[in-house]
Amino acid sequence: MLIFNHSSSMTFTLMGVPGLESQHLWLSVLFASMLLAVLIGNGVILFLVVTEPTLHTPMYLLLALLMVTDLASTLAFVPKVLCLFWFGDRDIAVHGCFTQMFFIHGASVMRSALLVAMSFDRFVAVCEPLRYNTILSHSLVGRLGLVALAKSVILILPMPLLLQRLTFCRMIIPHTYCDHMAVVKMACSNTRPNRIYGLFVVLLVVGLDLLLIGFSYALILQAVVRLNSRDATFKALNTCSAHLFVILITYVPALFSSVTHRIGRNIPPHAHVILANLYLLVPSMFNPIIYGIKMKEIQDKVAKCLCR
């Protein structure tokens, strides 16, 4: 058995989608289409928020941060995947692999933190509408963004640092990108700390963030139940609908992918890889679509730009 100590000259080889190598060209069409959709959708929302003064509200500023996070998450791995599919460029330097891992998982943690901040925004909008602009000032939105960034860096930075102590027996990663658990499985030394820390991050991020989001919506539901007008109730629920859809498409694929990666031993490897890619791409692709459909202000601004 060959044993590779960690060094700057060491390279990993990405397999792509194991078992579907003959379909890589067709898969590349899907990935390229999704990349284009992510760039256009998120780019349009960002452009509107930046250029339209009427959209410089807390909700849209948080949405802009979410769009930036989605773009960072997508650009961290899809270009490399397309190079793999189109040109057979499978090699990635160890430091490049760890850097890609940091940005991919860091963006996921930051997306989750921003969804918590957006749930707080919806709570204030429904429960304290008269004090909305007073409570959610631009400075508070900026601090919430910095907290989300700091959380992602603090939680994800130990992952590549812990990997640097490992000795690797295999260099071929059966994945399209440097997923943390996929790289951990390449090691022949003790990976228990890596596995425990990875599980700790998943439970902390998903568990704590979902708990905070659930608490916000419990208070929102309590306030909505007290409304006497049916129109007011519908308006309050409609205010939260876009955020609820985004929560579903963010956490359901992520949880499913994480669980199957750890306990789904009988699931084919290509299913693991496809799920891992979808949980990164689906939220980035559908977030701007959901907000574009549900937010009349965005629809009006898009129509205005097209008319120009």
Side-chain angles (χ1 to χ4, degrees), residues 71-118:
L71 284 171
S73 172
T74 303
L75 293 174
F77 81 101
V78 175
K80 178 62 180 176
V81 174
L82 292 177
C83 287
L84 188 157
F85 287 161
W86 287 339
F87 310 116
D89 182 13
R90 299 172 181 271
D91 292 340
I92 182 169
V94 62
H95 290 310
C97 182
F98 292 166
T99 302
Q100 184 190 58
M101 180 192 304
F102 172 78
F103 279 103
I104 290 172
H105 294 304
S108 297
V109 173
M110 187 165 180
R111 181 191 290 125
S112 182
L114 287 172
L115 289 177
V116 174
M118 293 172 84

Side-chain angles (χ1 to χ4, degrees), residues 5 36 40 82 84 113 115 119 145 182 215 221 223 248 251 254 279 281:
N5 290 321
L36 189 62
I40 293 174
L82 292 177
L84 188 157
L115 289 177
S119 71
F215 181 68
L221 191 60
L248 285 175
Y251 286 109
Y279 104 78
L281 282 171

Side-chain angles (χ1 to χ4, degrees), residues 106-165:
S108 297
V109 173
M110 187 165 180
R111 181 191 290 125
S112 182
L114 287 172
L115 289 177
V116 174
M118 293 172 84
S119 71
F120 175 67
D121 167 81
R122 293 300 83 202
F123 161 72
V124 177
V126 173
C127 300
E128 298 286 347
L130 298 179
R131 300 173 57 207
Y132 178 76
N133 289 322
T134 304
I135 297 173
L136 279 165
S137 61
H138 286 186
S139 61
L140 178 60
V141 172
R143 288 198 293 272
L144 289 173
L146 288 175
V147 168
L149 179 62
K151 178 183 177 182
S152 65
V153 172
I154 291 170
L155 286 178
I156 300 302
L157 188 59
M159 285 184 175
L161 295 179
L162 285 171
L163 283 171
Q164 292 192 42
R165 69 178 185 82

